[in-house]
PDB file of all heavy atoms in Angstrom:
ATOM      1  N   ILE A  82      18.380   7.813  -2.565  1.00 98.00           N
ATOM      2  CA  ILE A  82      18.419   6.352  -2.602  1.00 98.00           C
ATOM      3  C   ILE A  82      19.078   5.826  -1.339  1.00 98.00           C
ATOM      4  O   ILE A  82      20.207   6.190  -1.017  1.00 98.00           O
ATOM      5  CB  ILE A  82      19.177   5.856  -3.849  1.00 98.00           C
ATOM      6  CG1 ILE A  82      18.496   6.409  -5.115  1.00 98.00           C
ATOM      7  CG2 ILE A  82      19.241   4.331  -3.869  1.00 98.00           C
ATOM      8  CD1 ILE A  82      19.269   6.184  -6.389  1.00 98.00           C
ATOM      9  N   GLY A  83      18.354   4.965  -0.633  1.00 97.00           N
ATOM     10  CA  GLY A  83      18.862   4.385   0.607  1.00 97.00           C
ATOM     11  C   GLY A  83      18.469   5.233   1.810  1.00 97.00           C
ATOM     12  O   GLY A  83      18.216   6.437   1.697  1.00 97.00           O
ATOM     13  N   VAL A  84      18.430   4.589   2.955  1.00 96.00           N
ATOM     14  CA  VAL A  84      17.920   5.204   4.180  1.00 96.00           C
ATOM     15  C   VAL A  84      18.645   6.503   4.541  1.00 96.00           C
ATOM     16  O   VAL A  84      18.008   7.503   4.886  1.00 96.00           O
ATOM     17  CB  VAL A  84      17.988   4.188   5.348  1.00 96.00           C
ATOM     18  CG1 VAL A  84      17.573   4.824   6.649  1.00 96.00           C
ATOM     19  CG2 VAL A  84      17.100   2.995   5.055  1.00 96.00           C
ATOM     20  N   GLU A  85      19.952   6.511   4.456  1.00 97.00           N
ATOM     21  CA  GLU A  85      20.715   7.710   4.845  1.00 97.00           C
ATOM     22  C   GLU A  85      20.368   8.910   3.965  1.00 97.00           C
ATOM     23  O   GLU A  85      20.122  10.011   4.468  1.00 97.00           O
ATOM     24  CB  GLU A  85      22.214   7.412   4.779  1.00 97.00           C
ATOM     25  CG  GLU A  85      23.069   8.521   5.341  1.00 97.00           C
ATOM     26  CD  GLU A  85      24.550   8.146   5.335  1.00 97.00           C
ATOM     27  OE1 GLU A  85      24.897   7.053   5.843  1.00 97.00           O
ATOM     28  OE2 GLU A  85      25.334   8.959   4.811  1.00 97.00           O
ATOM     29  N   LYS A  86      20.322   8.692   2.660  1.00 98.00           N
ATOM     30  CA  LYS A  86      20.005   9.788   1.722  1.00 98.00           C
ATOM     31  C   LYS A  86      18.547  10.223   1.859  1.00 98.00           C
ATOM     32  O   LYS A  86      18.235  11.412   1.731  1.00 98.00           O
ATOM     33  CB  LYS A  86      20.295   9.366   0.282  1.00 98.00           C
ATOM     34  CG  LYS A  86      21.757   9.095   0.013  1.00 98.00           C
ATOM     35  CD  LYS A  86      22.560  10.359   0.065  1.00 98.00           C
ATOM     36  CE  LYS A  86      23.989  10.062  -0.342  1.00 98.00           C
ATOM     37  NZ  LYS A  86      24.887  11.165  -0.142  1.00 98.00           N
ATOM     38  N   ILE A  87      17.669   9.264   2.121  1.00 98.00           N
ATOM     39  CA  ILE A  87      16.255   9.596   2.328  1.00 98.00           C
ATOM     40  C   ILE A  87      16.109  10.486   3.556  1.00 98.00           C
ATOM     41  O   ILE A  87      15.419  11.501   3.526  1.00 98.00           O
ATOM     42  CB  ILE A  87      15.404   8.316   2.442  1.00 98.00           C
ATOM     43  CG1 ILE A  87      15.352   7.607   1.080  1.00 98.00           C
ATOM     44  CG2 ILE A  87      13.995   8.629   2.953  1.00 98.00           C
ATOM     45  CD1 ILE A  87      14.739   6.218   1.121  1.00 98.00           C
ATOM     46  N   LYS A  88      16.784  10.119   4.621  1.00 98.00           N
ATOM     47  CA  LYS A  88      16.727  10.925   5.863  1.00 98.00           C
ATOM     48  C   LYS A  88      17.242  12.334   5.587  1.00 98.00           C
ATOM     49  O   LYS A  88      16.629  13.329   6.004  1.00 98.00           O
ATOM     50  CB  LYS A  88      17.549  10.249   6.958  1.00 98.00           C
ATOM     51  CG  LYS A  88      17.774  11.076   8.222  1.00 98.00           C
ATOM     52  CD  LYS A  88      16.590  11.067   9.136  1.00 98.00           C
ATOM     53  CE  LYS A  88      16.865  11.575  10.535  1.00 98.00           C
ATOM     54  NZ  LYS A  88      17.445  12.874  10.676  1.00 98.00           N
ATOM     55  N   ASP A  89      18.366  12.460   4.887  1.00 97.00           N
ATOM     56  CA  ASP A  89      18.910  13.779   4.538  1.00 97.00           C
ATOM     57  C   ASP A  89      17.902  14.590   3.723  1.00 97.00           C
ATOM     58  O   ASP A  89      17.735  15.799   3.957  1.00 97.00           O
ATOM     59  CB  ASP A  89      20.211  13.643   3.736  1.00 97.00           C
ATOM     60  CG  ASP A  89      21.365  13.088   4.558  1.00 97.00           C
ATOM     61  OD1 ASP A  89      21.266  13.061   5.806  1.00 97.00           O
ATOM     62  OD2 ASP A  89      22.360  12.645   3.939  1.00 97.00           O
ATOM     63  N   ALA A  90      17.236  13.942   2.774  1.00 97.00           N
ATOM     64  CA  ALA A  90      16.269  14.634   1.925  1.00 97.00           C
ATOM     65  C   ALA A  90      15.098  15.166   2.749  1.00 97.00           C
ATOM     66  O   ALA A  90      14.689  16.321   2.589  1.00 97.00           O
ATOM     67  CB  ALA A  90      15.762  13.702   0.823  1.00 97.00           C
ATOM     68  N   TYR A  91      14.578  14.324   3.663  1.00 97.00           N
ATOM     69  CA  TYR A  91      13.464  14.785   4.500  1.00 97.00           C
ATOM     70  C   TYR A  91      13.907  15.878   5.468  1.00 97.00           C
ATOM     71  O   TYR A  91      13.163  16.835   5.695  1.00 97.00           O
ATOM     72  CB  TYR A  91      12.816  13.623   5.258  1.00 97.00           C
ATOM     73  CG  TYR A  91      11.875  12.832   4.388  1.00 97.00           C
ATOM     74  CD1 TYR A  91      12.212  11.555   3.938  1.00 97.00           C
ATOM     75  CD2 TYR A  91      10.640  13.352   4.013  1.00 97.00           C
ATOM     76  CE1 TYR A  91      11.351  10.832   3.147  1.00 97.00           C
ATOM     77  CE2 TYR A  91       9.775  12.637   3.210  1.00 97.00           C
ATOM     78  CZ  TYR A  91      10.131  11.374   2.780  1.00 97.00           C
ATOM     79  OH  TYR A  91       9.280  10.664   1.979  1.00 97.00           O
ATOM     80  N   ASP A  92      15.109  15.746   6.017  1.00 97.00           N
ATOM     81  CA  ASP A  92      15.625  16.819   6.884  1.00 97.00           C
ATOM     82  C   ASP A  92      15.651  18.141   6.128  1.00 97.00           C
ATOM     83  O   ASP A  92      15.241  19.184   6.659  1.00 97.00           O
ATOM     84  CB  ASP A  92      17.031  16.486   7.400  1.00 97.00           C
ATOM     85  CG  ASP A  92      17.023  15.499   8.553  1.00 97.00           C
ATOM     86  OD1 ASP A  92      16.007  15.407   9.272  1.00 97.00           O
ATOM     87  OD2 ASP A  92      18.063  14.820   8.736  1.00 97.00           O
ATOM     88  N   PHE A  93      16.126  18.101   4.882  1.00 96.00           N
ATOM     89  CA  PHE A  93      16.189  19.320   4.085  1.00 96.00           C
ATOM     90  C   PHE A  93      14.781  19.857   3.794  1.00 96.00           C
ATOM     91  O   PHE A  93      14.519  21.048   3.977  1.00 96.00           O
ATOM     92  CB  PHE A  93      16.935  19.089   2.768  1.00 96.00           C
ATOM     93  CG  PHE A  93      16.925  20.305   1.893  1.00 96.00           C
ATOM     94  CD1 PHE A  93      17.728  21.393   2.186  1.00 96.00           C
ATOM     95  CD2 PHE A  93      16.067  20.385   0.797  1.00 96.00           C
ATOM     96  CE1 PHE A  93      17.699  22.545   1.402  1.00 96.00           C
ATOM     97  CE2 PHE A  93      16.025  21.524   0.006  1.00 96.00           C
ATOM     98  CZ  PHE A  93      16.841  22.609   0.305  1.00 96.00           C
ATOM     99  N   VAL A  94      13.889  18.992   3.341  1.00 95.00           N
ATOM    100  CA  VAL A  94      12.516  19.414   3.023  1.00 95.00           C
ATOM    101  C   VAL A  94      11.878  20.073   4.238  1.00 95.00           C
ATOM    102  O   VAL A  94      11.312  21.166   4.151  1.00 95.00           O
ATOM    103  CB  VAL A  94      11.663  18.217   2.544  1.00 95.00           C
ATOM    104  CG1 VAL A  94      10.179  18.575   2.502  1.00 95.00           C
ATOM    105  CG2 VAL A  94      12.133  17.733   1.174  1.00 95.00           C
ATOM    106  N   PHE A  95      12.002  19.416   5.398  1.00 96.00           N
ATOM    107  CA  PHE A  95      11.342  19.945   6.595  1.00 96.00           C
ATOM    108  C   PHE A  95      12.022  21.206   7.127  1.00 96.00           C
ATOM    109  O   PHE A  95      11.399  21.972   7.854  1.00 96.00           O
ATOM    110  CB  PHE A  95      11.252  18.871   7.673  1.00 96.00           C
ATOM    111  CG  PHE A  95      10.389  17.691   7.277  1.00 96.00           C
ATOM    112  CD1 PHE A  95      10.683  16.422   7.740  1.00 96.00           C
ATOM    113  CD2 PHE A  95       9.284  17.843   6.450  1.00 96.00           C
ATOM    114  CE1 PHE A  95       9.893  15.342   7.393  1.00 96.00           C
ATOM    115  CE2 PHE A  95       8.489  16.763   6.095  1.00 96.00           C
ATOM    116  CZ  PHE A  95       8.797  15.504   6.567  1.00 96.00           C
ATOM    117  N   SER A  96      13.259  21.446   6.751  1.00 96.00           N
ATOM    118  CA  SER A  96      13.903  22.708   7.138  1.00 96.00           C
ATOM    119  C   SER A  96      13.364  23.870   6.298  1.00 96.00           C
ATOM    120  O   SER A  96      13.466  25.021   6.697  1.00 96.00           O
ATOM    121  CB  SER A  96      15.425  22.610   6.983  1.00 96.00           C
ATOM    122  OG  SER A  96      15.805  22.661   5.615  1.00 96.00           O
ATOM    123  N   GLN A  97      12.772  23.541   5.154  1.00 96.00           N
ATOM    124  CA  GLN A  97      12.275  24.559   4.240  1.00 96.00           C
ATOM    125  C   GLN A  97      10.776  24.824   4.373  1.00 96.00           C
ATOM    126  O   GLN A  97      10.329  25.960   4.191  1.00 96.00           O
ATOM    127  CB  GLN A  97      12.562  24.140   2.787  1.00 96.00           C
ATOM    128  CG  GLN A  97      14.022  23.884   2.486  1.00 96.00           C
ATOM    129  CD  GLN A  97      14.872  25.118   2.702  1.00 96.00           C
ATOM    130  OE1 GLN A  97      14.620  26.157   2.115  1.00 96.00           O
ATOM    131  NE2 GLN A  97      15.876  25.019   3.558  1.00 96.00           N
ATOM    132  N   ILE A  98      10.009  23.761   4.676  1.00 96.00           N
ATOM    133  CA  ILE A  98       8.552  23.898   4.679  1.00 96.00           C
ATOM    134  C   ILE A  98       7.909  23.123   5.829  1.00 96.00           C
ATOM    135  O   ILE A  98       8.531  22.239   6.425  1.00 96.00           O
ATOM    136  CB  ILE A  98       7.933  23.395   3.355  1.00 96.00           C
ATOM    137  CG1 ILE A  98       8.198  21.891   3.168  1.00 96.00           C
ATOM    138  CG2 ILE A  98       8.410  24.211   2.163  1.00 96.00           C
ATOM    139  CD1 ILE A  98       7.463  21.250   2.015  1.00 96.00           C
ATOM    140  N   GLN A  99       6.663  23.457   6.097  1.00 98.00           N
ATOM    141  CA  GLN A  99       5.814  22.710   7.036  1.00 98.00           C
ATOM    142  C   GLN A  99       4.550  22.325   6.272  1.00 98.00           C
ATOM    143  O   GLN A  99       3.836  23.204   5.788  1.00 98.00           O
ATOM    144  CB  GLN A  99       5.454  23.548   8.266  1.00 98.00           C
ATOM    145  CG  GLN A  99       4.366  22.942   9.147  1.00 98.00           C
ATOM    146  CD  GLN A  99       4.781  21.637   9.805  1.00 98.00           C
ATOM    147  OE1 GLN A  99       5.807  21.590  10.482  1.00 98.00           O
ATOM    148  NE2 GLN A  99       4.001  20.594   9.606  1.00 98.00           N
ATOM    149  N   LEU A 100       4.313  21.037   6.151  1.00 97.00           N
ATOM    150  CA  LEU A 100       3.135  20.556   5.429  1.00 97.00           C
ATOM    151  C   LEU A 100       1.942  20.394   6.360  1.00 97.00           C
ATOM    152  O   LEU A 100       2.098  20.078   7.546  1.00 97.00           O
ATOM    153  CB  LEU A 100       3.435  19.209   4.767  1.00 97.00           C
ATOM    154  CG  LEU A 100       4.446  19.234   3.629  1.00 97.00           C
ATOM    155  CD1 LEU A 100       4.909  17.833   3.287  1.00 97.00           C
ATOM    156  CD2 LEU A 100       3.838  19.916   2.413  1.00 97.00           C
ATOM    157  N   ASN A 101       0.780  20.568   5.795  1.00 98.00           N
ATOM    158  CA  ASN A 101      -0.480  20.261   6.470  1.00 98.00           C
ATOM    159  C   ASN A 101      -1.388  19.681   5.380  1.00 98.00           C
ATOM    160  O   ASN A 101      -2.102  20.416   4.703  1.00 98.00           O
ATOM    161  CB  ASN A 101      -1.093  21.503   7.104  1.00 98.00           C
ATOM    162  CG  ASN A 101      -2.367  21.168   7.850  1.00 98.00           C
ATOM    163  OD1 ASN A 101      -2.644  20.009   8.153  1.00 98.00           O
ATOM    164  ND2 ASN A 101      -3.167  22.178   8.132  1.00 98.00           N
ATOM    165  N   ILE A 102      -1.317  18.357   5.205  1.00 97.00           N
ATOM    166  CA  ILE A 102      -2.006  17.721   4.084  1.00 97.00           C
ATOM    167  C   ILE A 102      -2.859  16.548   4.544  1.00 97.00           C
ATOM    168  O   ILE A 102      -2.716  16.049   5.657  1.00 97.00           O
ATOM    169  CB  ILE A 102      -0.997  17.221   3.025  1.00 97.00           C
ATOM    170  CG1 ILE A 102      -0.015  16.229   3.660  1.00 97.00           C
ATOM    171  CG2 ILE A 102      -0.279  18.369   2.356  1.00 97.00           C
ATOM    172  CD1 ILE A 102       0.662  15.333   2.680  1.00 97.00           C
ATOM    173  N   GLU A 103      -3.691  16.113   3.621  1.00 97.00           N
ATOM    174  CA  GLU A 103      -4.499  14.910   3.802  1.00 97.00           C
ATOM    175  C   GLU A 103      -4.304  14.040   2.568  1.00 97.00           C
ATOM    176  O   GLU A 103      -4.247  14.554   1.442  1.00 97.00           O
ATOM    177  CB  GLU A 103      -5.973  15.291   3.955  1.00 97.00           C
ATOM    178  CG  GLU A 103      -6.880  14.158   4.346  1.00 97.00           C
ATOM    179  CD  GLU A 103      -6.564  13.594   5.712  1.00 97.00           C
ATOM    180  OE1 GLU A 103      -6.398  14.368   6.668  1.00 97.00           O
ATOM    181  OE2 GLU A 103      -6.465  12.347   5.825  1.00 97.00           O
ATOM    182  N   PHE A 104      -4.138  12.729   2.773  1.00 93.00           N
ATOM    183  CA  PHE A 104      -4.027  11.785   1.657  1.00 93.00           C
ATOM    184  C   PHE A 104      -5.396  11.237   1.304  1.00 93.00           C
ATOM    185  O   PHE A 104      -6.220  10.977   2.182  1.00 93.00           O
ATOM    186  CB  PHE A 104      -3.135  10.589   2.030  1.00 93.00           C
ATOM    187  CG  PHE A 104      -1.669  10.807   1.807  1.00 93.00           C
ATOM    188  CD1 PHE A 104      -0.781  10.660   2.842  1.00 93.00           C
ATOM    189  CD2 PHE A 104      -1.175  11.128   0.560  1.00 93.00           C
ATOM    190  CE1 PHE A 104       0.571  10.844   2.661  1.00 93.00           C
ATOM    191  CE2 PHE A 104       0.184  11.309   0.364  1.00 93.00           C
ATOM    192  CZ  PHE A 104       1.054  11.170   1.409  1.00 93.00           C
ATOM    193  N   PHE A 105      -5.601  11.005   0.015  1.00 97.00           N
ATOM    194  CA  PHE A 105      -6.799  10.354  -0.489  1.00 97.00           C
ATOM    195  C   PHE A 105      -6.345   9.156  -1.306  1.00 97.00           C
ATOM    196  O   PHE A 105      -5.660   9.324  -2.315  1.00 97.00           O
ATOM    197  CB  PHE A 105      -7.623  11.325  -1.339  1.00 97.00           C
ATOM    198  CG  PHE A 105      -7.998  12.575  -0.588  1.00 97.00           C
ATOM    199  CD1 PHE A 105      -7.216  13.723  -0.705  1.00 97.00           C
ATOM    200  CD2 PHE A 105      -9.086  12.583   0.262  1.00 97.00           C
ATOM    201  CE1 PHE A 105      -7.541  14.871   0.008  1.00 97.00           C
ATOM    202  CE2 PHE A 105      -9.418  13.738   0.979  1.00 97.00           C
ATOM    203  CZ  PHE A 105      -8.639  14.874   0.850  1.00 97.00           C
ATOM    204  N   ILE A 106      -6.690   7.973  -0.852  1.00 96.00           N
ATOM    205  CA  ILE A 106      -6.244   6.742  -1.503  1.00 96.00           C
ATOM    206  C   ILE A 106      -7.201   6.426  -2.647  1.00 96.00           C
ATOM    207  O   ILE A 106      -8.401   6.285  -2.444  1.00 96.00           O
ATOM    208  CB  ILE A 106      -6.190   5.585  -0.501  1.00 96.00           C
ATOM    209  CG1 ILE A 106      -5.198   5.908   0.626  1.00 96.00           C
ATOM    210  CG2 ILE A 106      -5.812   4.282  -1.214  1.00 96.00           C
ATOM    211  CD1 ILE A 106      -5.259   4.943   1.796  1.00 96.00           C
ATOM    212  N   GLU A 107      -6.647   6.329  -3.843  1.00 96.00           N
ATOM    213  CA  GLU A 107      -7.457   6.031  -5.016  1.00 96.00           C
ATOM    214  C   GLU A 107      -7.462   4.543  -5.330  1.00 96.00           C
ATOM    215  O   GLU A 107      -8.474   4.012  -5.762  1.00 96.00           O
ATOM    216  CB  GLU A 107      -6.967   6.864  -6.197  1.00 96.00           C
ATOM    217  CG  GLU A 107      -7.197   8.356  -5.926  1.00 96.00           C
ATOM    218  CD  GLU A 107      -6.486   9.279  -6.882  1.00 96.00           C
ATOM    219  OE1 GLU A 107      -6.108   8.853  -7.992  1.00 96.00           O
ATOM    220  OE2 GLU A 107      -6.298  10.458  -6.519  1.00 96.00           O
ATOM    221  N   GLU A 108      -6.326   3.877  -5.135  1.00 96.00           N
ATOM    222  CA  GLU A 108      -6.291   2.427  -5.315  1.00 96.00           C
ATOM    223  C   GLU A 108      -5.079   1.844  -4.625  1.00 96.00           C
ATOM    224  O   GLU A 108      -4.058   2.504  -4.470  1.00 96.00           O
ATOM    225  CB  GLU A 108      -6.315   2.034  -6.793  1.00 96.00           C
ATOM    226  CG  GLU A 108      -5.032   2.296  -7.551  1.00 96.00           C
ATOM    227  CD  GLU A 108      -5.076   1.806  -8.991  1.00 96.00           C
ATOM    228  OE1 GLU A 108      -5.796   0.839  -9.320  1.00 96.00           O
ATOM    229  OE2 GLU A 108      -4.359   2.400  -9.809  1.00 96.00           O
ATOM    230  N   ILE A 109      -5.251   0.607  -4.215  1.00 97.00           N
ATOM    231  CA  ILE A 109      -4.148  -0.188  -3.686  1.00 97.00           C
ATOM    232  C   ILE A 109      -4.229  -1.539  -4.381  1.00 97.00           C
ATOM    233  O   ILE A 109      -5.276  -2.193  -4.357  1.00 97.00           O
ATOM    234  CB  ILE A 109      -4.240  -0.385  -2.154  1.00 97.00           C
ATOM    235  CG1 ILE A 109      -4.129   0.957  -1.427  1.00 97.00           C
ATOM    236  CG2 ILE A 109      -3.164  -1.355  -1.678  1.00 97.00           C
ATOM    237  CD1 ILE A 109      -4.349   0.862   0.078  1.00 97.00           C
ATOM    238  N   ILE A 110      -3.143  -1.943  -5.005  1.00 96.00           N
ATOM    239  CA  ILE A 110      -3.063  -3.232  -5.684  1.00 96.00           C
ATOM    240  C   ILE A 110      -1.941  -4.027  -5.035  1.00 96.00           C
ATOM    241  O   ILE A 110      -0.827  -3.511  -4.868  1.00 96.00           O
ATOM    242  CB  ILE A 110      -2.780  -3.063  -7.199  1.00 96.00           C
ATOM    243  CG1 ILE A 110      -3.825  -2.170  -7.866  1.00 96.00           C
ATOM    244  CG2 ILE A 110      -2.680  -4.429  -7.878  1.00 96.00           C
ATOM    245  CD1 ILE A 110      -5.242  -2.711  -7.868  1.00 96.00           C
ATOM    246  N   ILE A 111      -2.229  -5.269  -4.689  1.00 96.00           N
ATOM    247  CA  ILE A 111      -1.250  -6.131  -4.015  1.00 96.00           C
ATOM    248  C   ILE A 111      -1.005  -7.367  -4.859  1.00 96.00           C
ATOM    249  O   ILE A 111      -1.949  -7.985  -5.357  1.00 96.00           O
ATOM    250  CB  ILE A 111      -1.760  -6.546  -2.615  1.00 96.00           C
ATOM    251  CG1 ILE A 111      -1.982  -5.308  -1.751  1.00 96.00           C
ATOM    252  CG2 ILE A 111      -0.794  -7.522  -1.957  1.00 96.00           C
ATOM    253  CD1 ILE A 111      -2.675  -5.590  -0.440  1.00 96.00           C
ATOM    254  N   ASP A 112       0.263  -7.722  -5.006  1.00 94.00           N
ATOM    255  CA  ASP A 112       0.655  -8.949  -5.690  1.00 94.00           C
ATOM    256  C   ASP A 112       1.786  -9.588  -4.895  1.00 94.00           C
ATOM    257  O   ASP A 112       2.953  -9.202  -5.043  1.00 94.00           O
ATOM    258  CB  ASP A 112       1.087  -8.666  -7.124  1.00 94.00           C
ATOM    259  CG  ASP A 112       1.362  -9.934  -7.919  1.00 94.00           C
ATOM    260  OD1 ASP A 112       1.005 -11.036  -7.442  1.00 94.00           O
ATOM    261  OD2 ASP A 112       1.928  -9.827  -9.020  1.00 94.00           O
ATOM    262  N   ASP A 113       1.409 -10.493  -4.020  1.00 91.00           N
ATOM    263  CA  ASP A 113       2.350 -11.227  -3.181  1.00 91.00           C
ATOM    264  C   ASP A 113       3.104 -10.276  -2.243  1.00 91.00           C
ATOM    265  O   ASP A 113       2.514  -9.738  -1.328  1.00 91.00           O
ATOM    266  CB  ASP A 113       3.293 -12.063  -4.051  1.00 91.00           C
ATOM    267  CG  ASP A 113       4.008 -13.147  -3.264  1.00 91.00           C
ATOM    268  OD1 ASP A 113       3.464 -13.605  -2.242  1.00 91.00           O
ATOM    269  OD2 ASP A 113       5.123 -13.534  -3.659  1.00 91.00           O
ATOM    270  N   THR A 114       4.400 -10.029  -2.483  1.00 93.00           N
ATOM    271  CA  THR A 114       5.182  -9.179  -1.579  1.00 93.00           C
ATOM    272  C   THR A 114       5.455  -7.786  -2.149  1.00 93.00           C
ATOM    273  O   THR A 114       6.263  -7.045  -1.615  1.00 93.00           O
ATOM    274  CB  THR A 114       6.535  -9.844  -1.242  1.00 93.00           C
ATOM    275  OG1 THR A 114       7.266 -10.039  -2.454  1.00 93.00           O
ATOM    276  CG2 THR A 114       6.332 -11.178  -0.521  1.00 93.00           C
ATOM    277  N   ILE A 115       4.764  -7.459  -3.234  1.00 96.00           N
ATOM    278  CA  ILE A 115       4.876  -6.142  -3.862  1.00 96.00           C
ATOM    279  C   ILE A 115       3.475  -5.548  -3.942  1.00 96.00           C
ATOM    280  O   ILE A 115       2.506  -6.253  -4.204  1.00 96.00           O
ATOM    281  CB  ILE A 115       5.471  -6.238  -5.290  1.00 96.00           C
ATOM    282  CG1 ILE A 115       6.862  -6.848  -5.280  1.00 96.00           C
ATOM    283  CG2 ILE A 115       5.467  -4.894  -5.992  1.00 96.00           C
ATOM    284  CD1 ILE A 115       7.935  -5.941  -4.749  1.00 96.00           C
ATOM    285  N   ALA A 116       3.376  -4.252  -3.733  1.00 97.00           N
ATOM    286  CA  ALA A 116       2.087  -3.576  -3.851  1.00 97.00           C
ATOM    287  C   ALA A 116       2.335  -2.158  -4.323  1.00 97.00           C
ATOM    288  O   ALA A 116       3.468  -1.658  -4.250  1.00 97.00           O
ATOM    289  CB  ALA A 116       1.366  -3.561  -2.504  1.00 97.00           C
ATOM    290  N   TYR A 117       1.293  -1.535  -4.830  1.00 97.00           N
ATOM    291  CA  TYR A 117       1.403  -0.117  -5.141  1.00 97.00           C
ATOM    292  C   TYR A 117       0.117   0.583  -4.759  1.00 97.00           C
ATOM    293  O   TYR A 117      -0.944  -0.028  -4.663  1.00 97.00           O
ATOM    294  CB  TYR A 117       1.784   0.135  -6.605  1.00 97.00           C
ATOM    295  CG  TYR A 117       0.707  -0.141  -7.623  1.00 97.00           C
ATOM    296  CD1 TYR A 117      -0.255   0.825  -7.928  1.00 97.00           C
ATOM    297  CD2 TYR A 117       0.662  -1.346  -8.302  1.00 97.00           C
ATOM    298  CE1 TYR A 117      -1.234   0.585  -8.867  1.00 97.00           C
ATOM    299  CE2 TYR A 117      -0.317  -1.593  -9.250  1.00 97.00           C
ATOM    300  CZ  TYR A 117      -1.258  -0.633  -9.528  1.00 97.00           C
ATOM    301  OH  TYR A 117      -2.227  -0.879 -10.461  1.00 97.00           O
ATOM    302  N   ALA A 118       0.243   1.865  -4.520  1.00 97.00           N
ATOM    303  CA  ALA A 118      -0.920   2.698  -4.213  1.00 97.00           C
ATOM    304  C   ALA A 118      -0.821   3.976  -5.021  1.00 97.00           C
ATOM    305  O   ALA A 118       0.256   4.560  -5.164  1.00 97.00           O
ATOM    306  CB  ALA A 118      -0.970   3.030  -2.724  1.00 97.00           C
ATOM    307  N   VAL A 119      -1.949   4.381  -5.546  1.00 98.00           N
ATOM    308  CA  VAL A 119      -2.081   5.670  -6.203  1.00 98.00           C
ATOM    309  C   VAL A 119      -2.888   6.537  -5.245  1.00 98.00           C
ATOM    310  O   VAL A 119      -3.962   6.141  -4.791  1.00 98.00           O
ATOM    311  CB  VAL A 119      -2.799   5.539  -7.563  1.00 98.00           C
ATOM    312  CG1 VAL A 119      -3.033   6.906  -8.186  1.00 98.00           C
ATOM    313  CG2 VAL A 119      -2.008   4.635  -8.496  1.00 98.00           C
ATOM    314  N   THR A 120      -2.333   7.689  -4.910  1.00 97.00           N
ATOM    315  CA  THR A 120      -2.999   8.586  -3.972  1.00 97.00           C
ATOM    316  C   THR A 120      -2.968  10.011  -4.515  1.00 97.00           C
ATOM    317  O   THR A 120      -2.250  10.305  -5.475  1.00 97.00           O
ATOM    318  CB  THR A 120      -2.307   8.576  -2.585  1.00 97.00           C
ATOM    319  OG1 THR A 120      -0.992   9.121  -2.711  1.00 97.00           O
ATOM    320  CG2 THR A 120      -2.219   7.176  -1.998  1.00 97.00           C
ATOM    321  N   SER A 121      -3.713  10.844  -3.861  1.00 97.00           N
ATOM    322  CA  SER A 121      -3.596  12.278  -4.095  1.00 97.00           C
ATOM    323  C   SER A 121      -3.574  12.925  -2.720  1.00 97.00           C
ATOM    324  O   SER A 121      -3.964  12.321  -1.721  1.00 97.00           O
ATOM    325  CB  SER A 121      -4.762  12.803  -4.939  1.00 97.00           C
ATOM    326  OG  SER A 121      -5.990  12.542  -4.305  1.00 97.00           O
TER     327      SER A 121
END
Side-chain angles (χ1 to χ4, degrees):
I82 302 170
V84 175
E85 188 176 309
K86 295 291 185 188
I87 291 170
K88 170 79 166 55
D89 292 345
Y91 281 108
D92 281 335
F93 176 75
V94 168
F95 296 148
S96 74
Q97 303 299 303
I98 63 171
Q99 169 65 55
L100 292 166
N101 182 16
I102 58 159
E103 188 64 47
F104 274 123
F105 303 95
I106 299 169
E107 295 167 20
E108 73 176 332
I109 297 174
I110 304 296
I111 300 171
D112 186 12
D113 197 27
T114 60
I115 300 287
Y117 72 85
V119 175
T120 66
S121 59

